[in-house]
């Protein structure tokens, strides 16, 4: 599998921290545009350790046709 599709469509990357300042993801791709959110992680073989995708804005998540196993964290408006 080639490069992470979300990486090419993302509006940037960031480090994702929890409410206590602990690092959750060292490479969080931000899907801030409609096309990036639509494609999401489709056609992604696997995520590297510490890598993830932030869908912003996002009202729901589905895993139809998704290859890698995922964990989902829902954030409120304050993050």
């Amino acid at each position: 599998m080639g490069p992470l599709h979300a990486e090419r469509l993302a509006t940037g990357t960031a480090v994702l921290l929890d409410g206590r300042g602990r690092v959750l993801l060292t490479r969080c791709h931000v899907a801030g545009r409609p096309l990036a959110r639509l494609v999401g992680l489709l056609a992604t073989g696997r995520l590297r350790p510490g890598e993830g995708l932030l869908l912003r804005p996002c009202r729901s998540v589905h895993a139809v046709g998704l290859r890698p196993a995922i964990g989902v964290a829902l954030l409120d408006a304050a993050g």
Side-chain angles (χ1 to χ4, degrees):
M1 179 74 29
L4 182 67
H5 287 266
E7 187 171 8
R8 289 182 278 166
L9 295 171
T11 55
T13 60
V15 174
L16 185 66
L17 307 174
D18 70 5
R20 295 184 174 160
R22 296 177 294 201
V23 175
L24 297 176
L25 296 173
T26 56
R27 189 166 173 84
C28 182
H29 305 282
V30 181
R33 291 185 234 147
L35 181 60
R37 290 191 303 273
L38 178 66
V39 172
L41 294 175
L42 291 175
T44 299
R46 77 173 100 161
L47 294 170
R48 294 175 284 227
E51 186 174 43
L53 179 67
L54 173 62
L55 302 170
R56 184 167 59 190
C58 179
R59 291 186 180 185
S60 64
V61 175
H62 71 83
V64 175
L66 197 58
R67 292 179 184 175
I70 63 168
V72 176
L74 303 174
L75 308 176
D76 64 11

